[in-house]
Amino acid sequence: MAELAALEDPKTREVNERHGDDHGVNLTKLRALAKRLKTHQELARQLWATDDTAARLLATLVCRPKAFERDELDAMLRRARTPKAHDWLVNYVVKKSPHAEELRQAWLADPDPVVAGAGWALTTERVAKKPDGLDLAGLLDVIEAEMKGAPDRLQWAMNHCLAQIGIEHPEHRARAIDIGERLRVLEDYPTPPNCTSPFAPIWINEMVRRAGARHG
């Protein structure tokens, strides 16, 4: 904790706080610290229990994802508090857990939009890597009906899933683009130069174009 406190930088904190993340640790330095600590499950549990965002980010880097119980991961997600801690927990820990599929199904149906967003993030991962058994048309139905009015973080996760379906599955591409064009979600999102817009029709077409260029 003392080392993390020493890495705290007011400017970094100021930028992070604009995104809802209450820490000021440079992530490159945080990763270097994690590398030095190596895998340390007990320390990871203690760091997560501190409720400190930088400590929790470090915990996701030094833990053993497969060592957590299902209910433990569920409780951790519900207490994640900040967007970055939530995202790293889902991406670095839950996705590698044997409980990922069970949690995906439970979280998708959760009334808490932040928890449901984690369910959509895990669904997006499956759309890309293990789509067998997923009802892609059914997912598009839900996105079409609910994405427009969803709270920000849930909307973001659903939009990513919409784009991923359009990118990975040509048979659903026209419908995914059509849903994006009608709902216009994230159409005006400020996108830096050289970055792809998160507006689904632009995102889908750009990724398909790049894949074509690679294979062409």
Side-chain angles (χ1 to χ4, degrees):
M1 293 307 289
E3 267 199 67
L4 285 171
L7 292 174
E8 176 79 26
D9 171 58
K11 283 202 180 100
T12 306
R13 177 176 281 271
E14 197 184 317
V15 172
N16 287 335
E17 283 187 341
R18 277 185 233 139
H19 304 289
D21 288 308
D22 54 355
H23 78 94
V25 177
N26 174 293
L27 296 181
T28 308
K29 290 177 179 168
L30 187 81
R31 290 178 190 280
L33 176 57
K35 209 168 180 175
R36 210 175 72 232
L37 289 168
K38 302 196 170 64
T39 304
H40 197 317
Q41 181 65 8
E42 197 39 53
L43 176 64
R45 282 198 167 102
Q46 290 168 355
L47 287 167
W48 190 270
T50 63
D51 199 33
D52 175 87
T53 297
R56 287 181 158 185
L57 296 179
L58 184 60
T60 66
L61 298 175
V62 300
C63 73
R64 193 175 289 111
K66 293 184 170 66
F68 290 107
E69 297 299 328
R70 177 205 180 281
D71 291 349
E72 192 177 7
L73 289 170
D74 182 70
M76 286 166 76
L77 183 89
R78 290 173 194 280
R79 291 200 290 267
R81 247 186 354 91
T82 68
K84 186 70 84 184
H86 179 273
D87 290 346
W88 282 29
L89 180 67
V90 171
N91 287 306
Y92 298 158
V93 185
V94 181
K95 281 181 182 177
K96 298 173 183 167
S97 158
H99 309 294
E101 178 56 21
E102 205 184 322
L103 287 169
R104 181 188 79 80
Q105 292 181 28
W107 288 346
L108 262 185
D110 200 274
D112 181 332
V114 174
V115 176
W120 280 98
L122 293 173
T123 303
T124 302
E125 173 88 347
R126 268 203 63 190
V127 166
K129 295 188 173 162
K130 286 194 296 227
D132 291 354
L134 278 183
D135 174 9
L136 296 176
L139 288 171
L140 289 174
D141 291 343
V142 176
I143 291 167
E144 189 167 18
E146 297 175 17
M147 181 169 76
K148 184 91 172 165
D152 285 359
R153 293 185 55 204
L154 175 55
Q155 186 183 68
W156 187 270
M158 291 174 107
N159 183 69
H160 189 179
C161 191
L162 173 66
Q164 202 70 51
I165 291 171
I167 292 161
E168 302 284 345
H169 300 280
E171 68 279 20
H172 295 287
R173 188 170 295 150
R175 185 177 174 207
I177 290 171
D178 177 59
I179 290 170
E181 281 173 347
R182 275 185 294 108
L183 299 185
R184 314 219 77 81
V185 165
L186 298 173
E187 183 182 21
D188 301 323
Y189 191 82
T191 306
N194 304 323
C195 289
T196 304
S197 166
F199 179 48
I202 295 177
W203 190 354
I204 294 167
N205 285 323
E206 176 58 19
M207 295 322 251
V208 170
R209 185 191 66 73
R210 283 187 207 173
R214 274 203 309 275
H215 298 313

